Amino acid sequence: MSEYNIDFSKGLVPTIIQDYESGKVLMLAYMNEESFRRTMDTKKTWFYSRSRQKLWNKGESSGHFQHVKEVYIDCDRDTILIGVKQDGVACHTGAESCFYTKILG
């Protein structure tokens, strides 16, 4: 367990990013212990890229940074929820949220 009692024993922890004011889910990414620590230190989101096998700071290339306002962990301590103030859009496609494709309802 990390100093925040998050279970990083499997390496990566799913992390849900939501708009701090509206509650809208913006994206899902993965954090390891180092990216979580950087997020807490800088108050901007850092993730672990599974495809690039390295840390990345959301907004470093697009300028669409996520300013951390609140952080929660779930009851099992293996999922993180972060409320952010989003600069620009969250999705690399240019959409506000990565969740724009409805498949039911």
Side-chain angles (χ1 to χ4, degrees):
M1 293 279 183
S2 73
E3 70 178 289
Y4 294 96
N5 292 321
I6 299 170
D7 185 1
F8 287 104
S9 65
K10 295 182 179 115
L12 298 178
V13 172
T15 304
I16 302 162
I17 305 301
Q18 77 178 151
D19 182 275
Y20 171 70
E21 293 176 338
S22 72
K24 183 174 188 168
V25 174
L26 300 175
M27 60 182 281
L28 170 81
Y30 293 88
M31 287 187 163
N32 63 12
E33 199 161 356
E34 184 179 353
S35 63
F36 181 78
R37 190 174 305 114
R38 285 191 189 190
T39 296
M40 296 300 286
D41 289 346
T42 66
K43 301 301 185 272
K44 291 185 180 171
T45 55
W46 285 81
F47 303 106
Y48 185 81
S49 170
R50 296 172 297 161
S51 59
R52 293 178 280 176
Q53 299 286 297
K54 67 175 195 167
L55 294 181
W56 61 282
N57 175 228
K58 178 67 175 168
E60 65 190 348
S61 59
S62 67
H64 297 168
F65 291 100
Q66 296 173 333
H67 306 274
V68 176
K69 299 296 184 182
E70 56 188 12
V71 179
Y72 294 90
I73 55 175
D74 76 332
C75 57
D76 294 324
R77 302 190 175 281
D78 62 1
T79 303
I80 301 167
L81 173 66
I82 300 179
V84 301
K85 171 83 171 91
Q86 176 73 51
D87 288 343
V89 298
C91 185
H92 72 280
T93 66
E96 174 190 15
S97 166
C98 294
F99 296 96
Y100 58 85
T101 304
K102 185 186 285 191
I103 60 171
L104 179 68

